[in-house]
Amino acid sequence: MRPILLHEDRLFPVDEKTRSIARALYQSVRDLPIISPHGHTDPSWFAKDSNFGNATELLIKPDHYVFRMLYSQGVPLESLGIPRWDGGESETDPRKIWQLLADHYYLFAATPSRMWLDTVFHNVFGMTDMLCSDNAMEYYDHITTELAKPEYKPRALMDRFNIEVIATTEGALDSLPHHSAIKGTGWDKRVITTFRPDDVVDASREDFVANIGKLGEMTGEDSHSWAGYLNALRKRREVFRDHGATATDHGHPTAATADLALQDCQALFDRVLTGKSSAQDQELFRAQMLTELAGMSVEDGMVMQIHPGSFRNHNEALFKKFGRDKGHDIPMQTDYVKSLQPLLNKYGNDPRLNIILFTLDETVYARELAPLAGHYPSLKLGPAWWFHDSPEGMLRFRHQVTETAGFYNTVGFNDDTRAFLSIPARHDVARRIDCRFLAQLVVEHRVSESEAAELAVQLSYKLAKKAYKLG
Amino acid sequence: MRPILLHEDRLFPVDEKTRSIARALYQSVRDLPIISPHGHTDPSWFAKDSNFGNATELLIKPDHYVFRMLYSQGVPLESLGIPRWDGGESETDPRKIWQLLADHYYLFAATPSRMWLDTVFHNVFGMTDMLCSDNAMEYYDHITTELAKPEYKPRALMDRFNIEVIATTEGALDSLPHHSAIKGTGWDKRVITTFRPDDVVDASREDFVANIGKLGEMTGEDSHSWAGYLNALRKRREVFRDHGATATDHGHPTAATADLALQDCQALFDRVLTGKSSAQDQELFRAQMLTELAGMSVEDGMVMQIHPGSFRNHNEALFKKFGRDKGHDIPMQTDYVKSLQPLLNKYGNDPRLNIILFTLDETVYARELAPLAGHYPSLKLGPAWWFHDSPEGMLRFRHQVTETAGFYNTVGFNDDTRAFLSIPARHDVARRIDCRFLAQLVVEHRVSESEAAELAVQLSYKLAKKAYKLG
Amino acid sequence: MRPILLHEDRLFPVDEKTRSIARALYQSVRDLPIISPHGHTDPSWFAKDSNFGNATELLIKPDHYVFRMLYSQGVPLESLGIPRWDGGESETDPRKIWQLLADHYYLFAATPSRMWLDTVFHNVFGMTDMLCSDNAMEYYDHITTELAKPEYKPRALMDRFNIEVIATTEGALDSLPHHSAIKGTGWDKRVITTFRPDDVVDASREDFVANIGKLGEMTGEDSHSWAGYLNALRKRREVFRDHGATATDHGHPTAATADLALQDCQALFDRVLTGKSSAQDQELFRAQMLTELAGMSVEDGMVMQIHPGSFRNHNEALFKKFGRDKGHDIPMQTDYVKSLQPLLNKYGNDPRLNIILFTLDETVYARELAPLAGHYPSLKLGPAWWFHDSPEGMLRFRHQVTETAGFYNTVGFNDDTRAFLSIPARHDVARRIDCRFLAQLVVEHRVSESEAAELAVQLSYKLAKKAYKLG
């Protein structure tokens, strides 16, 4: 018997009683609309609604989950067509690159990339055999041909995927041309932006000083004074809200926060504006800014997402050759208890504040995050993130978080991806795993079937909509 | 079909073979007497044997597991009747407070609080429907009426709950009036105290200097000299032993221990007695005192419990308004390997020393605690504690500890609670989970059925009695 | 019914569908030859091929897993015949010692030691009843009698155990007499050495300065100059390779690496050569040397194993009395992300480098090791190690590593043991657990049956052979 590319019971537990409950719960949420409140798709796709390119351009070259695995097994990034920063050559034949993926597809056994890709191949393109060396060109041609059809344009796929709303992520200095283009068309309700000010908050960036200058120009504020800088941020937030944003996002290396006196803020800002500040000052500035930004969220109601804990660009040689986001960001141990206290002491009890915490360090689920979210009214927990956005990672999240934080201090799933075609696959994995977790609670008589039915809808749809104020 | 409030197979695994073994093991230990060697019930209950008040007074207001969850979802503590330190007002109508719990009872799905409360409702008060908004007043009236009956007095409940012995916890300066009152009545065998000297050891407390003065008055020792202070502690330990204590308890922020030279001890003691010592000195003093107290345990045979790792009163605004123990203690990362070495180097091989270690940081189970307890004859491991005293937490404890430390370096269950009515429910969860764990070992042919039967009794009853010298 | 000492389905999951798949996978790999690429057996056994001594000498006295558990429960090491460094007496009667093990055998319930010993008793010696106080002497006599037979000589057991190749581990100064003795006999293909230079790299050792002198004598290099010292190491590596070595091994306390300028290396080397260097200098020297040794691996192709994270000789009193490797090494928290970066920045992208990482700190599996190995072509992950070389530990490893690193960035199993008779038992546990893990993936439709079949062979045999360049 030929192996099935995608089994309808995938990810459900083997026990028949549990599986049948998981299956029933899943049936009840499978077709709910997708809320995608945090991600990295390109807004121009939805504004221009042009067809995507070939299979390789769409499915390999932007997906660092895919090429990091190939690289770890000795496949040079050049041969995968990853463009070089240093002017060197990279493979340009998309067929050769696709063949390389097919030849190494066995490496992905039991990884989430494999499940996402198989789901895309099967559900979006109708493939039924597993990708392998022999059928690589058949796959490539079929996918590339399909992509050229009208029903594969971005907006058609938004409908086919039943995506109710999708948030992109833009830097503070982005003029939001694509969101402006759809303004008033109705699509502005479905495609919204998110305010990510790392470019004007993280003084360790080479472009930080220049960015502060641009911030002043864009807003008409004196962005080199502490008060003017904060006002400029407030104005940018307003522009983002005017383009649909309900949330902000902050990708600092740590979760450090601070609450300095006003004169210390100005002095610190002056030091980082020199462009020659110490690493400690840069860290303190990011810490102070998280607290300032929380204060702005109290004012304007934007939901604040904190995503700490990634050691960016660990591989310096690769960074020089290929740049950022090439699969060499590595998670680090991350503290939340002491780090967040200054911010929480200032705003943590304010009912107007909504912070969603993420982590790459699973040791904090039961030890720090669940106890914090199970106490502070301003805190909720984002889903298992990045390396942990996987069946096992999601199960660990629920098993370690639920007993202390419950379900209602979590915010449903978000896909955090630039791989547009994989969005339904990712939400499908989350829905299957949550239904599996709930089914286990039912058969062990820890929640009733009717509670589980309501919780399945909450975890798949309602909690995300409420937490991100999208309702 | 109406959901059952409490299923007789709750917490057992779904597989029929495993479940039937778990059920059989559980049947063999379900009715064993309860040993409660560590907890926080009020000794006056057992001395005075008065009826408890209403449902709200007994089941909500003292239970920070309950009100922390409500607070995290926006319910103000004032509205739950939590008394304010700052003189502000709190809700006084117990019915309104009970209705609030009922309205938010869905938040507790899959939490241990839910299972404990349901078990109390069902087993102690005979309720059969789940608490909800509609039946809240019916619940309140029924429970409050029952509580007024003679069979709900504390001693009657001690018998009904089959509690063989219960330990309360008192500070070093407590004059133990309630334990004195029951002395010689027979109840002094069932209700014993525990010596918790944090009030005269932790120099970071505002009342530390005053407490040292009181310690001198109570004991007739010069408590401001190092030798006199230690002698005073010895005398208080003797008084506690005379009121049934077999154990001491130490709730330091970390597990740090030290072994200073005598003259350094005196100098350090002088510094902390000024009331203006540094945080480092306070930490070093606590560290030195753990070692001193271990030495006293070697002398007098009291079992030493070490409970480190809680960041107390994380929410400063809430602390100012409502005080301690209001659900805002958060676990921290905790080291044991380096921290305990000074104490262990001095006393760790002494067969007269018995230390029971607890943790809020589960990462140390397999990495530090099991290897330490699997080597040092003086060390044993307390059960999964506080946030981890839950079905998943207990399973993680057994899965991560057993292979290196075995079962006999653990000490059975303790409930660590002030919620008297929930004690049988808590021990019931522990017995079910341990039987479940053992059943899995049996069906996977890792222990025999006869071994599992003996281990079930050890984990439910014998190990606690032996470890706490209660036999 | 009498309990069976060793059930044929042990360690398989209870669910019938999963168990039957696990069993089938296991049947397909059970009889594959054993590759034992990392361990601590005594090479003289294979060179001299003499019979082993009695049951106690072979099975208790060298096994610190066994006597650490007995010691933790109050059995003095003297009574187990562990020789004393301080000249004190130890029990000499092997029968008395064996009886002590039997009397305390219940302590090992659900530990890997119990499964290894039972497997040795059953599979090697044909015992069918569990060891207990009553049958202790029967056990002792039977095993001791068997051990004297020709078929229990080391080489006969190598054949019986189907060990294709076994690597021992020797210090840099070892003259490798036993490996020399088998050179050219054919056995040199099956018994190879491993280069472990901790004795000439770790400047915290009392014998470090003397060892550097010996290194110079052995190699004819000026081992007190930086260049001469490095050349001497190169020469020793060559000798080891000439005795079969394909790998090196490094047991540093941490994973720290460094990349100093040449003149700083010489200066640091001069400081540690004084024998009075600071702990920081010693750590920095080990760190620099890991990078130097990686550079030598690039040159000569030897596979580099890094085993950090053990706090050696935690119990100082016991260390003075009984010495090293007596069950009191305790794992510590260990960082890899920042620690390895200097080495990886220098050599991490070189296709000629092969590093195998081990850990005693399971928190790094999903957070650090899988992301590192899933990116760097030079990194692979060793199996669950030491305290985690157990059914639960192996499952945690696969569950936490696979989704990010896949299977092909791991290297199969190694037994890391000096307990020769237990080697088949240990590989058997690993094969059973890996087949169990794969079977779960199959029934949850996460890998196909044919993929699982190939992966079972990879994990049991092929990956180890390839990773250690033994094929």
Side-chain angles (χ1 to χ4, degrees), chain C residues 113 148 212 215 298 303 356 363 406 439 442:
Chain C
S113 292
I212 299 300
L215 181 66
V298 168
V303 176
I356 300 175
T363 68
V442 170

Side-chain angles (χ1 to χ4, degrees), chain C residues 439-471:
Chain C
Q440 195 193 340
L441 294 178
V442 170
V443 296
E444 295 179 1
H445 308 291
R446 297 157 74 174
V447 302
S448 68
E449 288 196 55
S450 61
E451 282 179 293
E454 172 59 23
L455 285 166
V457 177
Q458 290 283 353
L459 301 183
S460 300
Y461 181 75
K462 289 184 186 173
L463 286 177
K465 209 162 163 176
K466 185 177 176 198
Y468 285 90
K469 304 187 174 180
L470 297 169

Side-chain angles (χ1 to χ4, degrees), chain C residues 87-343:
Chain C
E89 295 200 348
S90 286
E91 180 58 54
T92 55
D93 182 347
R95 290 167 172 275
K96 279 193 188 163
I97 297 169
W98 188 264
Q99 185 70 47
L100 267 177
L101 172 65
D103 293 346
H104 293 86
Y105 202 57
Y106 68 97
L107 295 175
F108 293 92
T111 67
S113 292
R114 161 77 180 278
M115 187 155 283
W116 298 330
L117 284 170
D118 281 353
T119 306
V120 169
F121 295 156
H122 181 276
N123 286 353
V124 183
F125 296 106
M127 310 306 291
T128 53
D129 289 328
M130 191 165 91
L131 177 64
C132 63
S133 296
D134 288 347
N135 65 15
M137 288 305 98
E138 193 186 326
Y139 249 84
Y140 178 85
D141 289 335
H142 176 74
I143 291 171
T144 303
T145 305
E146 292 291 290
L147 285 176
K149 295 181 180 170
E151 58 263 39
Y152 286 87
K153 287 179 187 281
R155 292 187 183 184
L157 290 172
M158 282 283 285
D159 288 341
R160 179 173 168 193
F161 293 166
N162 197 14
I163 298 176
E164 184 174 313
V165 58
I166 190 167
T168 65
T169 303
E170 275 73 43
L173 302 175
D174 195 296
S175 57
L176 306 177
H178 308 298
H179 293 84
S180 294
I182 60 173
K183 207 156 187 230
T185 68
W187 277 93
D188 56 349
K189 308 289 179 220
R190 292 181 69 184
V191 179
I192 63 179
T193 185
T194 302
F195 181 67
R196 178 153 179 165
D198 295 356
D199 46 356
V200 293
V201 163
D202 185 351
S204 74
R205 295 171 59 120
E206 302 97 342
D207 56 3
F208 173 73
V209 175
N211 289 346
I212 299 300
K214 286 183 201 159
L215 181 66
E217 289 165 26
M218 283 185 98
T219 57
E221 293 285 340
D222 170 14
S223 62
H224 293 86
S225 79
W226 177 241
Y229 166 68
L230 296 181
N231 272 336
L233 288 172
R234 282 189 186 91
K235 285 189 173 173
R236 292 305 299 152
R237 293 168 70 100
E238 195 178 346
V239 172
F240 273 68
R241 283 199 304 284
D242 192 43
H243 289 76
T246 65
T248 70
D249 185 34
H250 310 280
H252 294 191
T254 74
T257 66
D259 185 17
L260 302 176
L262 186 61
Q263 67 272 29
D264 295 330
C265 292
Q266 180 66 57
L268 175 61
F269 188 48
D270 290 343
R271 292 201 299 280
V272 298
L273 277 181
T274 63
K276 293 169 191 163
S277 50
S278 66
Q280 289 94 315
D281 270 350
Q282 293 166 1
E283 174 73 353
L284 183 59
F285 187 70
R286 286 187 299 259
Q288 179 62 29
M289 284 309 299
L290 272 192
T291 307
E292 298 292 342
L293 290 158
M296 294 182 198
S297 278
V298 168
E299 293 168 11
D300 64 20
M302 294 181 86
V303 176
M304 190 175 190
Q305 300 171 91
I306 302 181
H307 280 91
S310 179
F311 187 124
R312 302 277 172 181
N313 308 310
H314 191 268
N315 188 335
E316 291 181 4
L318 204 85
F319 177 67
K320 282 179 193 145
K321 215 163 151 186
F322 295 99
R324 295 176 188 281
D325 295 329
K326 292 300 175 291
H328 54 113
D329 299 337
I330 310 289
M332 291 182 294
Q333 208 178 83
T334 307
D335 163 75
Y336 292 79
V337 176
K338 292 177 188 163
S339 296
L340 290 177
Q341 212 204 12
L343 185 159

Side-chain angles (χ1 to χ4, degrees), chain C residues 64 73 368:
Chain C
H64 53 68
Q73 287 280 318
E368 305 182 20

Side-chain angles (χ1 to χ4, degrees), chain B residues 263-308:
Chain B
Q263 66 273 27
D264 296 330
C265 292
Q266 180 66 57
L268 175 61
F269 189 49
D270 291 343
R271 292 201 300 279
V272 297
L273 278 181
T274 63
K276 296 169 191 163
S277 49
S278 66
Q280 290 93 317
D281 269 350
Q282 292 166 0
E283 174 73 353
L284 184 59
F285 187 69
R286 286 187 298 259
Q288 178 63 27
M289 285 309 298
L290 272 192
T291 307
E292 298 292 341
L293 290 158
M296 294 182 197
S297 277
V298 168
E299 293 168 10
D300 65 21
M302 293 180 86
V303 176
M304 189 174 189
Q305 299 171 92
I306 301 181
H307 280 92

Side-chain angles (χ1 to χ4, degrees), chain B residues 100-376:
Chain B
L100 267 178
L101 172 65
D103 293 345
H104 294 86
Y105 202 55
Y106 69 97
L107 296 174
F108 293 92
T111 68
S113 292
R114 161 79 180 277
M115 187 156 282
W116 298 329
L117 284 169
D118 281 352
T119 307
V120 169
F121 295 155
H122 182 276
N123 286 354
V124 182
F125 297 106
M127 310 307 291
T128 52
D129 289 328
M130 192 165 92
L131 177 64
C132 62
S133 295
D134 287 347
N135 65 15
M137 288 305 99
E138 192 187 326
Y139 248 83
Y140 179 84
D141 289 334
H142 176 74
I143 292 172
T144 302
T145 305
E146 291 292 289
L147 285 176
K149 295 181 179 171
E151 58 263 39
Y152 285 87
K153 286 177 186 281
R155 292 187 184 185
L157 289 173
M158 281 284 283
D159 288 342
R160 179 173 167 193
F161 292 165
N162 197 15
I163 299 176
E164 185 174 311
V165 58
I166 190 167
T168 66
T169 303
E170 276 73 42
L173 302 175
D174 194 296
S175 57
L176 305 178
H178 308 298
H179 292 85
S180 293
I182 59 172
K183 207 156 187 226
T185 67
W187 277 94
D188 55 349
K189 307 292 179 217
R190 292 181 70 183
V191 179
I192 63 179
T193 185
T194 302
F195 181 67
R196 177 151 180 168
D198 294 356
D199 47 356
V200 293
V201 163
D202 185 351
S204 74
R205 295 170 60 119
E206 301 98 340
D207 56 2
F208 174 73
V209 175
N211 288 346
I212 299 300
K214 287 182 201 158
L215 180 67
E217 290 163 26
M218 284 186 99
T219 57
E221 293 284 341
D222 171 14
S223 62
H224 294 86
S225 79
W226 177 242
Y229 167 68
L230 296 181
N231 272 336
L233 287 173
R234 282 188 187 92
K235 284 188 173 173
R236 292 306 299 153
R237 293 167 71 99
E238 195 178 346
V239 172
F240 273 68
R241 283 199 305 284
D242 192 43
H243 290 75
T246 65
T248 69
D249 186 33
H250 311 280
H252 294 191
T254 74
T257 66
D259 186 17
L260 302 177
L262 187 60
Q263 66 273 27
D264 296 330
C265 292
Q266 180 66 57
L268 175 61
F269 189 49
D270 291 343
R271 292 201 300 279
V272 297
L273 278 181
T274 63
K276 296 169 191 163
S277 49
S278 66
Q280 290 93 317
D281 269 350
Q282 292 166 0
E283 174 73 353
L284 184 59
F285 187 69
R286 286 187 298 259
Q288 178 63 27
M289 285 309 298
L290 272 192
T291 307
E292 298 292 341
L293 290 158
M296 294 182 197
S297 277
V298 168
E299 293 168 10
D300 65 21
M302 293 180 86
V303 176
M304 189 174 189
Q305 299 171 92
I306 301 181
H307 280 92
S310 179
F311 187 123
R312 302 276 172 181
N313 308 310
H314 191 270
N315 188 334
E316 291 180 5
L318 203 85
F319 177 68
K320 281 180 194 143
K321 213 162 153 187
F322 295 100
R324 295 177 188 280
D325 296 328
K326 293 298 173 291
H328 54 113
D329 300 336
I330 309 289
M332 291 182 293
Q333 207 178 82
T334 307
D335 163 75
Y336 292 79
V337 176
K338 291 175 188 164
S339 297
L340 291 176
Q341 213 204 13
L343 185 161
L344 291 171
N345 270 330
K346 188 152 191 177
Y347 297 118
N349 298 294
D350 194 311
R352 293 169 298 173
L353 182 62
N354 294 283
I355 295 177
I356 300 174
L357 296 174
F358 295 79
T359 193
L360 291 174
D361 179 356
E362 294 176 305
T363 68
V364 303
Y365 282 160
R367 186 180 66 215
E368 305 182 21
L369 293 187
L372 285 167
H375 165 68
Y376 282 99

